[in-house]
Amino acid sequence: MSDPLLSVRDLRLGFTAGRRAKTLLAVDGISFSVGSGETFALLGESGCGKSATAQGIMRLLPGAGRITGGSVRLAGEELLNLAEADMRRIRGARMAMIFQEPATSLNPVLTVGQQIGEVLSRHRGLAGPEAAAAMAGLLKQVGIADPERRLNEYPFQLSGGMKQRVMIAIALAGEPELLIADEPTTALDVTVQAQILDLLAGVQAARGMGLLLITHDLGVVARMANRIGVMYAGELVEVASREAFFTAPQHPYTRALFSALPEVSRRGHPLLTIPGQVPSLEAMPAGCRFADRCGQVMAVCREHSPPWREIAGGHAVRCHWQAADDGEANGSPGKRAELQSPDRHLLEVADLKVHFSIRRGILQRTVGYVKAVDGVSLALTPGRTLALVGESGCGKTTVGKAILQLIAPTGGSVRLGATELVGMKPRRLRAVRRHMQMVFQDPFASLNPRLRVGEIIAEGMAALRVGSTADHGPAVAALLAQVGLPAEAADRFPHEFSGGQRQRIAVARALAVQPELLICDEPTSALDVSVQAQILNLLKTLQEALGVAYLFITHNFAVVEYLAHDVAVMYLGRIVERGSAEEVLGNPRHPYTRALLSAVPVPRLEGRPEAIKLPGETPSPAKPPAGCHFHPRCIHASEACRRDYPAGTRVSETHTVVCHLYP
Amino acid sequence: MLAYIVRRLFYAIPILIGVNLVTFALFFVVNTPDDMARMQLGVKRVTPEAIQKWKAERGYDKPLVVNHGADGLGMVTDTIFFEKSARMFAGDFGRAEDGRDIAREIANRMGPSLAIALPTFILGLFVTVSFALTLAFFRATAFDFWGVVVCVAMMSISGLFYIIGGQYLISKIWRLVPISGFGEGLDAWRFLILPVVIGVVSGIGSSSRWYRTIFLEEVGKDYVRTARAKGLPETVVFFRHILRNALIPILTGVVVVIPLLFMGSLLTESFFGVPGLGSYTIDAINAQDFAVVRSMVFIGSVLYIVGLILTDISYTLVDPRIRFE
Amino acid sequence: MMGFQVVLLWSDLLIWLLVAVGIGVGVFIARNPPLLAAWRRVGASRVGMAAATVLLVFVVVGLLDSLHYRRQLDGKPGQKASYAVEVLSLLDAIAAPLRSRNEKTYSEPFATRLYAKETVDVPGRGQVREYPRLKFGGAHLGEREGEVAADVGFTAFRAAVIGVLAWLAVVAAAIGAVAWQGGVSHGEAGRRIWAGETRFAWNAVLATLAAVFLVVVPLLWLAGGYHVFGTDKVGQDVLYQVLKSVRTGLIIGLVTTLVTLPLAVLLGIVAGYFRGWVDDLIQYLYTVLNSIPGVLLIAAAVLMMQVVIDTHPQWFSTAAERADLRLLALCFILGITSWTGLCRLLRGETLKLRELEYIQAAQAFGVSSWRIIVRHILPNLMHIVIIALVMDFSGLVLAEAVLSYVGIGVDPTMVSFGTMINNARMELGREPAVWWSLAAAFAAMFILVLAANLFADAVRDAFDPRAA
């Protein structure tokens, strides 16, 4: 039998902590192989060791990293005992790697050409016009127009997607047999993600490369992978072909990952969550590492680490439990207790504008404006959830902050109940702040590390004089109970909690002043899927119990489908389509909404029937295109689109679209 | 980019005016000219006439800011502020206590100051950057550890010790070069070598450690990992990728002092008897020659601001993000 | 019994104020787990704790030298008591022999005779040029001048034995403390200290203390009979001068921060948090101050201060008071000229912090700006302030020497490393050279600054989030 392209056997690696030189194993004996022309996806949540595995294969571990055992063979050649100089001849030539953050992975002071040329001269001995031709060819191959000009540009002159294309070009320059892609699209918008995934699939097919794809996204796996390995706490727990993986996942962890995904079919049902958290490297359980969080746990699980068990050809699982073959435990599409939408609006935003001035020249005169938010109108009724969806830079977060008056709006009106907030005096505004609060995106930046959790939660009550100081103690305890944390948490500091727990604390802080409106700014995008499910469930129960209205700012359609009653889609500072969730998601009218929906990779075997690919990337809000902002990327663009910004068209009572296609 | 530089130039003007006002306040408002006269003439047994004469000789007998006795423009120009402070913008610094023209003295003394400061600066930069680069290259090894230990020890030694010890050891015990003095022409190197070597050695500790930190900060960045993933040898990674990026923060600290090299070093020049601006300043301080000290403060600030502008310009050369702004 | 009058110099007041602040901060830290954790990391650093031990020795000397009094002059009973003009400190009282046993001029360390030949009348031989016998140095040997080496060696050995015994007492106390804290036997506690398994770096502290005891005890013991570091031009003991210099160095290094910190912290945070014209103004202020080369600004300010002091002699009742005020003025000037760096750092950091989500959450609650600054911004900048504080100390001690040398430092009558060096530097040119004053001053300064630098490194490693 010939050797597979990449074969990893029993790889162990870890990180030394402190001078005691105790190595904590981050990856503990994993084995898999990648064949030529095959895409193997290594799937796992943050901290499971998947990126360390990739770096270990390249022998690019950071300073504290050590490979403690196992074997990595590239086409039969053992890499782990190669001299460093020989390893350098393989890196970049026979195997190449691309990274998650294209923004920081390119050298900021070298041109694109210099950075690609390095590989050409090092591994292929190309220089001068030969190299220039090769570079232009590579850029063309990764879909960059006008390659000759781009070669002389610096990374900061390129957009995010373009940088990742350049990274891919650098990786391809050495004509590698194996490409390792470590979360290559996580930092990118969905429409750009779709482009990059297509590009990767295309070059892989054209060159017959092996592709090792590291990802946490089941949708990306479904789009790309031939075979999948699931990692948990430094171990592989299941290896399966694409078909087997999506039709008959075996390991309880894999199954849990699927059930934790928010989807339209699960509306009205709480999501299945994985309790607890991944054990820390210092305290790995002796038996199965998933035992403490597993629904099917048995006595044997806690004592013996399960051996590999072959289910079918190429499908193996490390679990003591034998799944009864009941397929996916998917709930039937839920009936939702529809709230009648009362006529009274809690929040009414009309023609909201937030412009930032651009200053240039010697005297720093204002030469233009970044129209971050340019005439947004929204309405939200009590107890309902409005999702504000859009890609990065569309101004959705600015809308949230402008509603809260954290950023002073340039124009327009924000009415909460009967009160107009725009232009209100700061002192009077304080009284209104009781009624609206915000939950932020980053659970690590949203809690002051120097304050105890109790102090953090009580801050709003003290500032807005909710209850007397004596009441704050019991109130904090009640709030903690409400968000599912023990009362002792009040005396501890934020760093003692995990990301999901911190987000619960942030929710408790916002609820402390009993607001009627909660603005949630991407509250789950920094969290793993299983934790995201916990927070979504919490938000849902809280809404049912307290009748809070949510303005849910997100880029994640799955979350929107699961949670939202109403949806508004934003593009370059304006809302292009809004309506009820069923209308917008089920019957999208605006070409941008359609493209966004179809670009989201679906975690199922059968993808979307039709895939609309958007060319290009979102332009800068400083110079939005004339006419309809979307026309340069729109396949239906007509002369009218280039000339005039369209007026809104009512599709139904609640459904509005802003597009020339619907006169 | 041109607009950027012009903007920085304009920005320098209010700062210069501020510096001028600060020195004016320090020299004429904190103490009145009467106080200075009394100090210079001896506190006891000084007659009002002597004070008046002393002030008149130096032009300190005018009103501070506004002369109500004069007409028209004279109200502003016939004052201490205009004569002593504002005119410094035109390069007119007045006369020192010994009656010599300060501006000419400064012009004469810049040469010797530069003759020592420039080689010290260039050699010092070369030595410290190379040492720091070597330490960063061998990071987390015993060499790095002991290198840092040596740096910390060297930066804990007083600058005075380097000079006194160096003079004693090299000139007095070994008799390799003259202890002090200054010569013109080709012969000058015998006098230059000792102060330059001492200047370089005394700077190694703190500068190398600082540059090493900068290098190590760059080593941890993502683009370095990309460069390694290309299979580049470590030397290429260092000299092509890391060095270029580390140059940007290093430049901030380095370019700004280049104009100040004209001012020379107070300590070195006074120890080695170099007739430069540093020893000029020290002598003025010891003789309490306020006019000279005031002029040096102003010139020093002008040179510093020139340094700031040079820093901005050098940024545009090394950092494409600013060049294409 | 002799009466005395307590004299409270301004610098004494400030330095004891600093001690009080230090204790207050210590209590505050003990109640704040995140800060306590950072200081525990400092405590676990071997190098840091060894350096801290050395620093502690210097601080004790400096504090002893900061309790001043004036002795009552002998008078008839019933008369109103009058007090000596000379202001003495507790250190002077302890080191009275060192202070009072002045020779005529230079003498080498452990010498029994002066360093310069003099013409003396010897009965029977007429006038002879010879090295005269010292009045105090080695006086107890009488005629046995040749036995200096043996006497010194024997005395040092005896003192070292006593030093070791004292050290063993400290070790026993440390073992007791560890045993009591960890609830283990004394043997186990000793083993843990030896193996470095304690959370606090006891082994480093004890090893440093051993070195300190082995050097200091014999040195002080010998100082009773000899001038261990020699004497200077006017015959004063150099060891005494070194001890007196410590306080000057500490005051320069510590009191200056009392001026720097409030300015830098307040202006830096205000500029970064409020931005707009406040920021422009503060930035302008520190760019202007920063533009004037430091030494020149200090020189100009010190010259002006001299004029003020010299034209107002009636302000000061004793020379000590004048020197003391001049020292404080120097600290003030150093503070005014050195707050800009920290201010800029804090401004930049505040600009970053104010965009963080927990600040926005507080703003969403309508928390007032000053409350946000005190509750959210200041505590998250403390690590920078602490790092800057310990890093500046050594720089200031070194700066004092240079400034005093240039003539713009402390009062020439005040003993400091700078004035010691300044007074002695020309003597290297003599034949044979007089080296001991310089050597003693440089060595003491090196030990102090090195300890401060190493401690600063340990603090920075423990507090800098990037290093963690």
Side-chain angles (χ1 to χ4, degrees):
Chain A
M1 194 182 114
S2 71
D3 292 305
L5 177 61
L6 175 76
S7 142
V8 176
R9 286 286 159 262
D10 202 26
L11 180 66
R12 282 166 212 276
L13 53 87
F15 296 92
T16 51
R19 273 172 308 171
R20 295 285 137 76
K22 200 162 66 184
T23 305
L24 295 173
L25 280 189
V27 174
D28 194 2
I30 69 167
S31 308
F32 62 87
S33 61
V34 184
S36 295
E38 182 193 40
T39 300
F40 183 83
L42 212 46
L43 175 83
E45 294 184 294
S46 53
C48 72
K50 58 191 191 300
S51 284
T53 305
Q55 290 169 3
I57 293 169
M58 289 288 279
R59 282 179 49 188
L60 277 177
L61 284 173
R66 301 273 178 284
I67 295 178
T68 56
S71 122
V72 176
R73 286 167 184 275
L74 185 69
E77 187 180 2
E78 177 60 50
L79 298 184
L80 292 188
N81 50 26
L82 274 186
E84 183 59 26
D86 295 321
M87 189 64 205
R88 279 196 207 109
R89 268 194 282 281
I90 290 176
R91 250 185 243 139
R94 293 181 54 199
M95 57 190 211
M97 186 161 177
I98 54 178
F99 303 95
Q100 173 172 352
E101 282 291 343
T104 57
S105 294
L106 290 170
N107 189 331
V109 301
L110 296 181
T111 61
V112 169
Q114 284 170 319
Q115 300 191 51
I116 303 177
E118 245 172 13
V119 185
L120 294 176
S121 72
R122 162 99 184 124
H123 296 298
R124 287 163 65 189
L126 295 182
E130 252 184 320
M135 286 190 271
L138 278 165
L139 286 191
K140 206 168 282 171
Q141 201 178 354
V142 296
I144 291 182
D146 198 2
E148 283 78 13
R149 184 168 65 89
R150 293 293 183 193
L151 282 177
N152 292 315
E153 291 195 337
Y154 289 90
F156 74 96
Q157 293 166 297
L158 309 175
S159 65
M162 201 92 91
K163 283 186 197 135
Q164 196 61 300
R165 287 174 192 270
V166 169
M167 277 301 294
I168 295 173
I170 290 174
L172 295 182
E175 299 184 328
E177 299 151 43
L178 173 72
L179 182 63
I180 301 176
D182 185 1
E183 302 267 14
T185 57
T186 308
L188 305 173
D189 278 326
V190 268
T191 54
V192 182
Q193 161 169 303
Q195 299 168 7
I196 297 292
L197 291 180
D198 282 347
L199 172 64
L200 278 176
V203 293
Q204 184 206 14
R207 294 178 176 236
M209 281 186 311
L211 178 61
L212 174 60
L213 180 71
I214 315 285
T215 185
H216 69 281
D217 189 331
L218 284 167
V220 172
V221 170
R223 167 81 185 75
M224 301 289 289
N226 302 118
R227 286 192 308 127
I228 295 106
V230 182
M231 277 189 85
Y232 182 81
E235 290 179 334
L236 266 179
V237 293
E238 181 163 4
V239 175
S241 70
R242 179 183 144 85
E243 286 72 23
F245 181 78
F246 283 98
T247 50
Q250 292 297 310
H251 199 280
Y253 175 64
T254 318
R255 292 175 163 226
L257 279 183
F258 276 106
S259 344
L261 283 177
E263 274 192 337
V264 69
S265 59
R266 301 203 170 107
R267 282 182 80 131
H269 297 282
L271 292 170
L272 194 115
T273 63
I274 309 178
Q277 44 191 303
V278 183
S280 73
L281 292 184
E282 289 91 351
M284 276 299 168
C288 172
R289 293 181 177 187
F290 188 60
D292 285 341
R293 307 176 70 190
C294 184
Q296 325 291 349
V297 63
M298 299 175 286
V300 62
C301 299
R302 300 198 189 272
E303 268 150 45
H304 301 287
S305 190
W308 280 107
R309 185 156 55 80
E310 185 99 5
I311 308 271
H315 190 178
V317 66
R318 272 184 90 172
C319 185
H320 292 297
W321 176 69
Q322 309 250 1
D325 208 15
D326 59 349
E328 252 184 291
N330 245 345
S332 56
K335 295 182 295 294
R336 204 158 36 120
E338 276 295 340
L339 284 159
Q340 283 99 29
S341 52
D343 299 332
R344 187 172 66 86
H345 286 312
L346 172 66
L347 174 76
E348 266 190 286
V349 178
D351 201 26
L352 183 70
K353 287 189 174 119
V354 183
H355 296 179
F356 301 106
S357 52
I358 309 169
R359 293 171 193 280
R360 281 255 171 74
I362 294 158
L363 296 174
Q364 295 288 290
R365 275 172 313 165
T366 303
V367 294
Y369 292 95
V370 177
K371 298 179 176 176
V373 178
D374 195 21
V376 163
S377 304
L378 297 167
L380 183 56
T381 42
R384 281 174 77 91
T385 301
L386 167 65
L388 189 58
V389 197
E391 292 181 290
S392 58
C394 73
K396 55 191 192 298
T397 296
T398 314
V399 170
K401 289 182 181 166
I403 290 173
L404 272 177
Q405 308 297 312
L406 289 178
I407 299 174
T410 317
S413 131
V414 176
R415 296 176 75 84
L416 187 72
T419 327
E420 171 63 53
L421 304 185
V422 175
M424 198 184 233
K425 291 264 180 311
R427 188 162 307 155
R428 292 197 43 223
L429 202 53
R430 275 177 71 173
V432 187
R433 294 198 179 282
R434 265 204 73 162
H435 306 288
M436 49 178 195
Q437 275 306 315
M438 189 153 181
V439 175
F440 295 90
Q441 171 172 6
D442 184 354
F444 289 87
S446 67
L447 305 179
N448 185 345
R450 304 272 176 214
L451 293 183
R452 288 169 208 273
V453 167
E455 293 170 296
I456 291 172
I457 296 176
E459 175 164 51
M461 293 191 265
L464 298 175
R465 309 218 170 76
V466 178
S468 67
T469 318
D471 298 338
H472 290 172
V476 167
L479 283 161
L480 283 172
Q482 204 162 27
V483 297
L485 288 172
E488 308 91 82
D491 289 326
R492 287 156 65 192
F493 284 87
H495 69 87
E496 297 170 56
F497 297 89
S498 68
Q501 289 171 321
R502 280 158 170 256
Q503 206 58 299
R504 289 170 187 267
I505 295 169
V507 171
R509 170 177 61 188
L511 291 178
V513 295
Q514 298 146 20
E516 288 109 63
L517 168 65
L518 198 57
I519 298 178
C520 304
D521 185 6
E522 306 254 19
T524 60
S525 67
L527 305 175
D528 279 323
V529 183
S530 61
V531 183
Q532 163 175 295
Q534 296 173 6
I535 297 296
L536 292 178
N537 283 346
L538 172 68
L539 289 173
K540 203 147 195 171
T541 13
L542 287 174
Q543 187 169 52
E544 279 155 19
L546 306 172
V548 197
Y550 294 139
L551 176 63
F552 205 94
I553 297 168
T554 185
H555 69 277
N556 186 339
F557 269 106
V559 174
V560 175
E561 285 172 340
Y562 173 70
L563 203 65
H565 302 101
D566 301 297
V567 178
V569 181
M570 243 182 123
Y571 187 76
L572 270 187
R574 297 189 182 180
I575 287 180
V576 295
E577 181 164 9
R578 64 189 166 124
S580 72
E582 287 78 9
E583 287 165 336
V584 176
L585 302 176
N587 185 15
R589 294 301 182 95
H590 199 283
Y592 178 62
T593 317
R594 291 184 180 174
L596 265 186
L597 279 169
S598 80
V600 180
V602 197
R604 274 188 292 272
L605 209 46
E606 73 287 357
R608 305 257 176 204
E610 29 109 42
I612 308 164
K613 297 291 185 252
L614 276 192
E617 289 171 53
T618 317
S620 152
K623 294 184 279 200
C628 174
H629 290 347
F630 186 61
H631 83 257
R633 301 176 72 191
C634 184
I635 41 169
H636 306 292
S638 66
E639 198 45 50
C641 301
R642 279 180 265 278
R643 210 175 45 239
D644 305 311
Y645 197 85
T649 312
R650 286 199 150 216
V651 181
S652 76
E653 185 70 13
T654 50
H655 192 180
T656 314
V657 60
V658 185
C659 182
H660 284 300
L661 286 179
Y662 309 94
Chain B
M1 186 179 100
L2 194 66
Y4 168 78
I5 291 169
V6 173
R7 199 171 74 227
R8 306 304 296 181
L9 276 172
F10 273 111
Y11 188 58
I13 295 171
I15 293 174
L16 270 178
I17 294 174
V19 168
N20 196 277
L21 289 177
V22 169
T23 44
F24 174 75
L26 205 54
F27 280 90
F28 294 105
V29 182
V30 173
N31 290 293
T32 60
D34 282 32
D35 289 335
M36 284 192 266
R38 234 174 267 138
M39 164 105 175
Q40 282 274 330
L41 300 171
V43 179
K44 285 160 201 154
R45 288 192 306 278
V46 58
T47 58
E49 292 75 40
I51 291 181
Q52 208 50 42
K53 179 164 167 285
W54 186 90
K55 278 162 62 184
E57 277 169 1
R58 289 159 182 81
Y60 291 165
D61 52 349
K62 294 172 183 164
L64 274 183
V65 188
V66 184
N67 189 344
H68 293 289
D71 306 320
L73 261 185
M75 264 183 80
V76 185
T77 56
D78 202 19
T79 58
I80 293 183
F81 175 70
F82 186 82
E83 288 285 319
K84 299 295 167 198
S85 258
R87 292 193 60 156
M88 290 205 284
F89 283 110
D92 178 2
F93 298 105
R95 291 186 181 278
E97 288 291 318
D98 59 7
R100 291 199 224 176
D101 183 44
I102 298 177
R104 274 196 54 189
E105 198 73 4
I106 289 173
N108 287 338
R109 285 169 170 266
M110 272 189 175
S113 280
L114 208 56
I116 289 185
L118 194 64
T120 310
F121 170 77
I122 294 173
L123 203 63
L125 192 63
F126 177 75
V127 170
T128 47
V129 169
S130 336
F131 187 45
L133 203 60
T134 324
L135 289 182
F137 192 84
F138 292 106
R139 65 193 171 281
T141 63
F143 176 76
D144 180 34
F145 176 81
W146 288 107
V148 173
V149 169
V150 167
C151 282
V152 175
M154 284 183 81
M155 63 190 267
S156 303
I157 297 173
S158 169
L160 293 166
F161 179 81
Y162 285 108
I163 300 179
I164 296 176
Q167 272 187 331
Y168 183 69
L169 192 70
I170 298 177
S171 295
K172 191 159 174 218
I173 306 286
W174 294 343
R175 298 185 183 282
L176 293 178
V177 287
I179 277 197
S180 67
F182 192 76
E184 296 290 329
L186 284 177
D187 201 32
W189 70 269
R190 293 194 309 125
F191 295 102
L192 289 183
I193 199 159
L194 184 57
V196 168
V197 166
I198 288 175
V200 169
V201 170
S202 61
I204 288 181
S206 51
S207 308
S208 301
R209 209 167 79 113
W210 168 234
Y211 296 150
R212 173 183 170 272
T213 329
I214 292 177
F215 284 129
L216 287 187
E217 201 147 297
E218 290 297 324
V219 167
K221 297 221 170 131
D222 283 355
Y223 71 83
V224 178
R225 191 179 54 184
T226 309
R228 297 219 174 93
K230 290 173 182 174
L232 299 175
E234 201 65 358
T235 45
V236 176
V237 173
F238 248 81
F239 285 98
R240 195 178 154 92
H241 290 268
I242 293 174
L243 186 58
R244 277 212 205 185
N245 280 282
L247 263 181
I248 297 170
I250 289 178
L251 268 179
T252 339
V254 164
V255 175
V256 77
V257 303
I258 292 179
L260 285 173
L261 296 177
F262 284 103
M263 301 277 291
S265 148
L266 295 188
L267 287 186
T268 315
E269 291 188 12
S270 86
F271 269 105
F272 291 97
V274 178
L277 283 178
S279 55
Y280 189 51
T281 316
I282 284 223
D283 294 344
I285 291 170
N286 288 329
Q288 305 193 318
D289 189 331
F290 302 108
V292 174
V293 176
R294 198 174 65 232
S295 312
M296 296 311 292
V297 167
F298 186 71
I299 293 183
S301 317
V302 171
L303 291 176
Y304 179 83
I305 292 165
V306 171
L308 286 183
I309 295 167
L310 284 183
T311 309
D312 289 335
I313 294 174
S314 63
Y315 268 151
T316 63
L317 298 179
V318 291
D319 194 336
R321 282 160 290 194
I322 293 177
R323 200 186 319 156
F324 289 93
E325 193 190 51
Chain C
M1 174 166 166
M2 279 242 278
F4 63 90
Q5 178 190 32
V6 173
V7 178
L8 194 62
L9 296 175
W10 278 105
S11 55
D12 294 342
L13 192 73
L14 289 174
I15 210 158
W16 287 105
L17 182 77
L18 274 172
V19 171
V21 169
I23 292 171
V25 169
V27 171
F28 173 75
I29 287 168
R31 294 200 183 144
N32 188 318
L35 275 177
L36 192 62
W39 281 108
R40 284 230 168 94
R41 283 198 292 276
V42 179
S45 151
R46 263 159 249 277
V47 178
M49 281 303 100
T53 312
V54 175
L55 280 180
L56 195 67
V57 175
F58 278 93
V59 168
V60 168
V61 171
L63 287 180
L64 283 179
D65 204 7
S66 298
L67 293 166
H68 285 98
Y69 67 96
R70 280 158 84 174
R71 218 171 8 196
Q72 192 174 22
L73 293 178
D74 295 334
K76 296 197 172 68
Q79 252 182 338
K80 192 171 174 290
S82 61
Y83 296 93
V85 181
E86 202 181 12
V87 177
L88 295 175
S89 73
L90 205 55
L91 181 76
D92 293 326
I94 295 167
L98 289 179
R99 185 172 59 87
S100 56
R101 286 191 204 153
N102 287 349
E103 305 293 345
K104 205 164 170 192
T105 180
Y106 291 116
S107 69
E108 273 191 291
F110 295 109
T112 56
R113 285 174 177 270
L114 278 184
Y115 200 54
K117 272 189 177 163
E118 277 185 6
T119 312
V120 282
D121 281 318
V122 178
R125 284 197 294 167
Q127 289 197 331
V128 182
R129 279 193 66 76
E130 63 159 19
Y131 297 104
R133 189 77 161 74
L134 293 179
K135 275 187 282 177
F136 303 100
H140 62 285
L141 292 175
E143 291 302 306
R144 299 173 288 127
E145 273 183 66
E147 294 171 20
V148 170
D151 182 55
V152 168
F154 186 63
T155 315
F157 179 73
R158 260 191 320 192
V161 170
I162 289 168
V164 167
L165 289 178
W167 179 71
L168 286 176
V170 177
V171 171
I175 289 180
V178 171
W180 177 75
Q181 211 176 25
V184 291
S185 73
H186 285 79
E188 169 65 11
R191 192 197 62 77
R192 279 193 196 174
I193 290 177
W194 177 256
E197 288 169 14
T198 47
R199 252 204 315 205
F200 183 78
W202 275 112
N203 52 355
V205 170
L206 292 176
T208 316
L209 272 182
V212 169
F213 276 118
L214 278 179
V215 172
V216 169
V217 176
L219 203 64
L220 291 181
W221 208 282
L222 286 166
Y226 299 91
H227 298 293
V228 285
F229 289 165
T231 55
D232 72 350
K233 190 169 186 173
V234 293
Q236 220 181 23
D237 191 277
V238 173
L239 174 61
Y240 174 68
Q241 291 181 334
V242 168
L243 289 176
K244 293 292 279 183
S245 300
V246 169
R247 173 177 187 267
T248 318
L250 287 179
I251 288 187
I252 295 265
L254 295 174
V255 174
T256 303
T257 55
L258 277 183
V259 182
T260 323
L261 278 193
L263 272 176
V265 171
L266 187 72
L267 295 182
I269 293 181
V270 164
Y273 187 78
F274 291 105
R275 300 191 292 191
W277 65 268
V278 181
D279 186 21
D280 290 341
L281 187 73
I282 291 171
Q283 276 199 72
Y284 175 71
L285 194 67
Y286 74 59
T287 317
V288 166
L289 273 183
N290 218 18
S291 299
I292 308 176
V295 188
L296 288 173
L297 184 57
I298 293 168
V302 170
L303 271 187
M304 288 305 124
M305 173 188 79
Q306 273 172 355
V307 175
V308 173
I309 287 179
D310 287 357
T311 48
H312 299 92
Q314 70 278 10
W315 289 356
F316 316 101
S317 60
T318 60
E321 262 179 54
R322 196 190 62 199
D324 184 62
L325 218 68
R326 186 174 158 149
L327 177 65
L328 287 187
L330 182 67
C331 291
F332 181 75
I333 291 169
L334 282 172
I336 290 287
T337 52
S338 62
W339 59 273
T340 50
L342 180 59
C343 181
R344 182 155 50 182
L345 202 64
L346 291 177
R347 173 185 169 270
E349 209 58 30
T350 308
L351 278 176
K352 272 186 241 163
L353 277 181
R354 81 186 296 284
E355 299 303 323
L356 282 187
E357 291 173 347
Y358 61 82
I359 307 273
Q360 297 191 352
Q363 287 168 343
F365 285 123
V367 178
S368 72
S369 296
W370 287 106
R371 200 168 156 72
I372 289 181
I373 287 178
V374 171
R375 241 172 104 89
H376 294 291
I377 293 187
L378 193 57
N380 285 292
L381 291 176
M382 268 340 268
H383 66 281
I384 299 179
V385 174
I386 290 169
I387 293 170
L389 211 135
V390 289
M391 297 282 243
D392 281 354
F393 175 83
S394 52
L396 287 166
V397 173
L398 289 177
E400 185 275 329
V402 172
L403 293 178
S404 294
Y405 165 75
V406 175
I408 48 176
V410 298
D411 193 272
T413 62
M414 175 166 257
V415 187
S416 78
F417 294 125
T419 49
M420 277 181 78
I421 293 167
N422 196 15
N423 292 337
R425 71 187 176 97
M426 294 317 292
E427 309 306 335
L428 267 189
R430 285 171 60 121
E431 281 302 337
V434 174
W435 49 269
W436 47 89
S437 260
L438 280 175
F442 278 131
M445 202 158 69
F446 175 67
I447 294 171
L448 174 60
V449 173
L450 183 65
N453 275 332
L454 293 175
F455 183 66
D457 276 8
V459 170
R460 194 199 48 200
D461 290 347
F463 278 83
D464 195 344
R466 275 180 309 182

